[in-house]
Amino acid sequence: GSIFLTNTPPTVKFDLVLSMDVLEHLQEEEADQMIETLKAYSKKNILFSICFAGDANWERDPTHVIKKSRFWWMKKIEDHGIKIIPTPDYFWFKDQILIGEVNG
């Protein structure tokens, strides 16, 4: 079964969908499902905040499951048809932010 809210298509889509400190806590197959769910609810952008491998905070949280690099996550997200666009320099925590563009 699904760990997510619904398997039915959303009735509304949003310009911006946020995924803050979620994906690295899932199993890899659950992360794929979550990315698809986020994509289904977005008509423009998804902002992903992910604790990447090498971040000092990764080891501090025992609930982190997927310890992968920024590049690995970029490829994983792009494999779902989401284009990664540059994170603005003025964003707080820019080193853990990926911004995806959806053709929704």
Side-chain angles (χ1 to χ4, degrees):
S2 174
I3 64 167
F4 306 105
L5 295 176
T6 181
N7 288 325
T8 59
T11 57
V12 64
K13 291 189 175 207
F14 301 93
D15 289 338
L16 177 63
V17 175
L18 303 177
S19 174
M20 306 297 291
D21 195 28
V22 173
L23 293 176
E24 68 273 25
H25 295 271
L26 303 174
Q27 298 297 322
E28 284 190 37
E29 61 277 1
E30 294 171 332
D32 285 316
Q33 187 180 4
M34 179 56 97
I35 293 166
E36 282 298 314
T37 300
L38 295 167
K39 181 180 170 184
Y41 280 89
S42 176
K43 62 181 174 181
K44 189 171 183 181
N45 293 107
I46 305 170
L47 186 146
F48 301 91
S49 177
I50 302 169
C51 187
F52 302 118
D55 186 310
N57 290 315
W58 208 96
E59 298 298 338
R60 293 183 188 133
D61 186 341
T63 67
H64 286 152
V65 176
I66 304 174
K67 185 177 184 179
K68 301 290 185 177
S69 70
R70 180 183 187 92
F71 177 78
W72 185 90
W73 279 108
M74 289 173 68
K75 181 173 181 340
K76 164 76 76 185
I77 292 165
E78 287 181 334
D79 284 349
H80 288 271
I82 301 167
K83 179 183 175 188
I84 299 297
I85 61 174
T87 303
D89 287 334
Y90 60 83
F91 270 35
W92 284 2
F93 308 106
K94 123 181 193 39
D95 292 338
Q96 68 188 43
I97 302 290
L98 294 174
I99 300 173
E101 190 173 72
V102 177
N103 296 325

